[in-house]
Amino acid sequence: MRHFLDFEKPIAELEGKIDELRRMSEPEGLNIEDEVSKLTEKADRQLRATYAKLTPWQKTQVARHPDRPKALAYIAGLITDYIPLAGDRAFADDAAVQGGLGRFRGRSVVVIGTERGNDTETRVAHNFGMARPEGYRKARRLIELAGRFGLPILTFVDTAGAFPGVDAEARGQAEAIARSIEACIDAPVPLIAAIIGEGGSGGAIALAAGDAVLMLEHAIYSVISPEGCASILWRDAAQASAAAEALHLTAEDLHRLHLVDQVIAEPIGGAHRDPEAAIQAVGEAVQAALEPLLGVEGPALKARRRERFLQMTREPIG
Amino acid sequence: MNWLTEYVRPKIRTLFTRRDVPDNLWQQCPNCQQMIFHTDLEKNLRVCPHCGHHMRATVTDRLGWTLDEGYTRIELPKAPADPLKFRDSKRYIDRLKEAREATGLEDAIVVAHGTIEQRPAVVAAMAFEFMGGSMGAAVGEALIAAAQLAVLQDAPLIVFTASGGARMQEGTISLMQMPRTIIASQIVKEAGLPFIVVLTDPTTGGTTASFAMLGDVQIAEPGALIGFAGARVIEQTVREKLPDEFQRAEYLLEHGVLDMVVKRSEMKAMLARLVALLREKEPA
């Protein structure tokens, strides 16, 4: 069954009516095609109109949509011959961070993603995409592996943030994130990051300090969740909508601020309506971002990436 | 009770008692609740003489305690102010203005160069009193400038952190200061210079998860709160009360995150010794 968000109610009602008409007409052999196509057209129009002007808070909900394709879906859809690699070699394997070797359009790559799961069982297994230090240490290990063999790195970011837990703190969550960012900065190979859902703060930048940062149209990327920001600055988590607005966390805004290189258009009604199309669109954008970097030598690539970050946030934005 | 309160008529009494104890002459230790006379506190580097609690310090104090006399504070590079036109209950631009007026600082950090026991050093100190020491573009820019200055002067960079984390009012711009400040630390290290981090109370969030964990040597002041996630967020996640020692400097030392916990009174000498050992390699 399709999961509808609050603001999708009118669409849900129309689509419900269409389904009902179809069900009723089947046994009776009634000709309802006219009615159905009229309603379908109306639902389509409504969907287009709604998604053309989503507010930042609505986008936040779309970015977290349970049916939205997750990192493993992108890996399955874009990477062939995928061999997952596990563990941080020190403490554990963190299922919130998935990654390994594979081929992207024939080329060997290292792929890394934060995976939040699709149902209760997988969500729990992946700790809802919130990594612990071992996850970031695994990421760093894979980034270094890529560097050693000259393989481009593709990351798929979708996380509420790093896991806030006693164990995570005790094992050096902050240090693990810092080292993962450092590994991204130091990689002598191209690193393309795609924010596919929620880009949650330090847990996201840990995998996204790359040569190109791509972002799906309805994904979000922020220093703090709108709820967290609202409860601190407004002292009221219910002000999340206002906070989402103020934080400028949408792909469109971040592109304008030069923090994101490209916005990838989503299928009408969001990636969850047509996951395959969304995955292929991301594949195209990754390919386009990767292509010009392939011939660049490691040291030049690193120098360019460093300069990119040094310049970032320096210029006033109009 | 003294003769004044007992014998002088009410009107005169209020006049006298008001002048009697200005609030800043005595300060209460937030740890042991003892009252400390301000000159005693200053002499003791704002460490409680009764219980040894290290109170928060201003950046001016910090620079004075660390560098020899005659150091120079540099002018910080300009960063775009309020690029998001952020507004919660108040406008960010107004909060900035208030913080500047209250502290006399440009932003949540100062950078100075001078000597520590006659050895050249660049010191950056974060100001918790300026919007919780939060890290936005100005702090990132200052740390990059500090790193470049260290290289130019062939001096180590020592950073005293005191920060609640990234500055929310700058949104994802503040998040980008994490890779930027890490690059700053790399600029120092690649020049063969020591990058030393001294974590002071409190250091959390995006500040901890970037340059602050990448020192060649990691030092903290006693009792300093240091962590990534805030205790309240963790409590909500694990649904239990956290022990007092959790995320304190001593806890981090025990868990291998720090090299040492150093008392304020011994900090300067320790920094000088570290720099000497790392740089003056041949027998004298």
Side-chain angles (χ1 to χ4, degrees):
Chain A
M1 212 183 71
R2 177 163 274 151
H3 178 103
F4 285 99
L5 300 167
D6 275 354
F7 64 86
E8 292 179 317
K9 250 194 198 126
I11 302 156
E13 274 167 24
L14 282 170
E15 290 189 353
K17 253 188 222 159
I18 295 167
D19 285 350
E20 204 176 321
L21 270 176
R22 287 225 165 97
R23 251 200 328 276
M24 276 167 38
S25 65
E26 251 169 43
E28 329 239 330
L30 294 173
N31 188 358
I32 49 142
E33 277 318 303
D34 264 13
E35 187 64 14
V36 165
S37 73
K38 237 189 271 170
L39 278 175
T40 309
E41 208 174 292
K42 199 173 166 194
D44 272 359
R45 258 205 319 272
Q46 186 93 37
L47 190 66
R48 259 171 223 277
T50 305
Y51 271 78
K53 50 174 178 51
L54 291 180
T55 67
W57 178 237
Q58 288 170 337
K59 279 187 192 261
T60 304
Q61 292 162 270
V62 175
R64 296 170 179 167
H65 198 290
D67 301 336
R68 197 171 169 86
K70 309 296 188 301
L72 282 175
Y74 284 86
I75 293 176
L78 296 174
I79 306 296
T80 57
D81 202 13
Y82 175 56
I83 301 177
L85 298 174
D88 70 344
R89 299 297 181 270
F91 180 76
D93 180 49
D94 187 342
V97 175
Q98 294 290 316
L101 296 163
R103 285 185 190 279
F104 172 68
R105 306 198 169 183
R107 179 182 304 280
S108 277
V109 295
V110 160
V111 60
I112 308 170
T114 40
E115 169 62 37
R116 48 204 310 172
N118 293 310
D119 49 33
T120 307
E121 196 185 326
T122 53
R123 273 180 206 125
V124 170
H126 293 289
N127 196 33
F128 302 85
M130 293 185 288
R132 291 181 163 86
E134 43 275 22
Y136 300 111
R137 289 181 180 132
K138 170 158 109 183
R140 178 182 163 203
R141 190 172 74 76
L142 295 182
I143 292 166
E144 286 170 358
L145 179 76
R148 213 167 95 65
F149 289 93
L151 311 179
I153 302 159
L154 312 182
T155 67
F156 298 104
V157 178
D158 183 17
T159 177
F163 183 64
V166 175
D167 58 339
E169 295 289 316
R171 291 197 294 277
Q173 184 72 295
E175 193 259 1
I177 293 170
R179 296 274 177 210
S180 184
I181 298 172
E182 190 175 44
C184 289
I185 292 168
D186 279 344
V189 292
L191 194 158
I192 314 292
I195 315 286
I196 54 170
E198 193 172 7
S201 196
I205 186 71
L207 298 178
D211 300 298
V213 180
L214 319 173
M215 204 168 154
L216 274 174
E217 187 184 354
H218 304 309
I220 60 164
Y221 191 13
S222 181
V223 68
I224 186 169
S225 71
E227 295 93 328
C229 181
S231 73
I232 296 171
L233 289 182
W234 279 260
R235 299 184 187 286
D236 179 7
Q239 294 293 319
S241 171
E245 197 94 34
L247 283 165
H248 288 68
L249 42 63
T250 69
E252 192 189 345
D253 279 352
L254 295 171
H255 185 247
R256 206 184 52 239
L257 292 164
H258 308 302
L259 304 180
V260 159
D261 300 278
Q262 200 198 324
V263 181
I264 306 167
E266 291 191 25
I268 304 298
H272 56 281
R273 288 229 164 208
D274 191 349
E276 196 40 46
I279 290 167
Q280 288 314 319
V282 169
E284 288 301 315
V286 167
Q287 172 66 23
L290 184 58
E291 198 73 51
L293 300 171
L294 287 172
V296 188
E297 293 289 323
L301 206 53
K302 274 175 67 172
R304 195 152 90 176
R305 190 180 306 129
R306 178 181 284 196
E307 197 50 32
R308 163 185 157 85
F309 279 98
L310 284 177
Q311 288 309 323
M312 204 177 266
T313 74
R314 236 172 216 175
E315 298 300 319
I317 295 125
Chain B
M1 283 289 173
N2 57 24
W3 69 270
L4 257 178
T5 47
E6 261 176 291
Y7 297 108
V8 180
R9 278 178 303 171
K11 210 170 177 186
I12 304 174
R13 196 164 61 205
T14 45
L15 210 92
F16 270 85
T17 40
R18 204 182 305 148
R19 286 177 51 200
D20 221 355
V21 191
D23 356 313
N24 55 358
L25 274 188
W26 291 86
Q27 205 168 325
Q28 190 174 36
C29 172
N31 185 51
C32 71
Q33 323 300 331
Q34 290 261 20
M35 297 302 288
I36 312 157
F37 195 59
H38 78 111
T39 48
D40 293 341
L41 190 58
E42 297 311 319
K43 245 190 301 184
N44 212 30
L45 313 180
R46 298 188 53 77
V47 174
C48 174
H50 306 287
C51 71
H53 176 75
H54 283 54
M55 296 190 195
R56 288 173 186 169
T58 66
V59 284
T60 313
D61 277 343
R62 193 66 75 179
L63 293 179
W65 297 336
T66 310
L67 288 159
D68 302 332
E69 254 175 72
Y71 64 82
T72 313
R73 249 163 85 163
I74 68 159
E75 198 180 320
L76 298 183
K78 289 266 171 280
D82 193 15
L84 303 185
K85 309 261 177 289
F86 193 98
R87 175 182 203 139
D88 46 87
S89 56
K90 218 185 253 179
R91 293 193 306 168
Y92 171 43
I93 200 91
D94 292 336
R95 283 188 196 270
L96 269 177
K97 212 170 128 208
E98 279 169 32
R100 283 178 185 150
E101 275 161 17
T103 60
L105 302 171
E106 265 305 294
D107 211 286
I109 193 166
V110 295
V111 178
H113 62 94
T115 55
I116 298 175
E117 295 187 359
Q118 289 80 52
R119 293 175 185 88
V122 174
V123 174
M126 298 181 86
F128 190 73
E129 64 269 32
F130 192 105
M131 296 190 72
S134 54
M135 179 165 77
V139 169
E141 212 55 60
L143 282 165
I144 292 167
Q148 287 164 339
L149 183 65
V151 175
L152 204 68
Q153 301 203 337
D154 191 35
L157 175 60
I158 297 159
V159 186
F160 288 85
T161 64
S163 170
R167 188 169 295 167
M168 278 176 289
Q169 291 90 343
E170 292 186 18
T172 313
I173 289 169
S174 67
L175 189 65
M176 291 306 130
Q177 306 314 316
M178 294 173 71
R180 297 184 84 230
T181 57
I182 288 173
I183 291 172
S185 76
Q186 291 184 317
I187 290 172
V188 178
K189 291 175 182 173
E190 282 165 14
L193 298 164
F195 175 61
I196 299 174
V197 178
V198 183
L199 300 137
T200 79
D201 187 62
T203 301
T204 58
T207 302
T208 321
S210 55
F211 72 94
M213 278 294 138
L214 300 181
D216 289 311
V217 182
Q218 295 280 123
I219 308 175
E221 284 195 328
L225 178 81
I226 303 157
F228 177 65
R232 208 158 10 115
V233 178
I234 298 172
E235 274 176 350
Q236 281 163 5
T237 314
V238 299
R239 294 178 196 291
E240 61 186 70
K241 189 100 184 68
L242 300 169
D244 279 346
E245 68 273 15
F246 179 65
Q247 289 185 326
R248 295 287 165 189
E250 295 72 15
Y251 175 93
L252 270 82
L253 180 67
E254 208 174 289
H255 284 83
V257 177
L258 303 174
D259 288 290
M260 59 188 98
V261 176
V262 175
K263 285 186 196 146
R264 203 169 275 168
S265 57
E266 295 162 9
M267 189 67 78
K268 181 173 177 171
M270 177 54 79
L271 291 171
R273 281 176 63 201
L274 283 169
V275 171
L277 284 166
L278 290 169
R279 304 202 71 198
E280 295 155 24
K281 292 173 235 181
E282 302 303 322

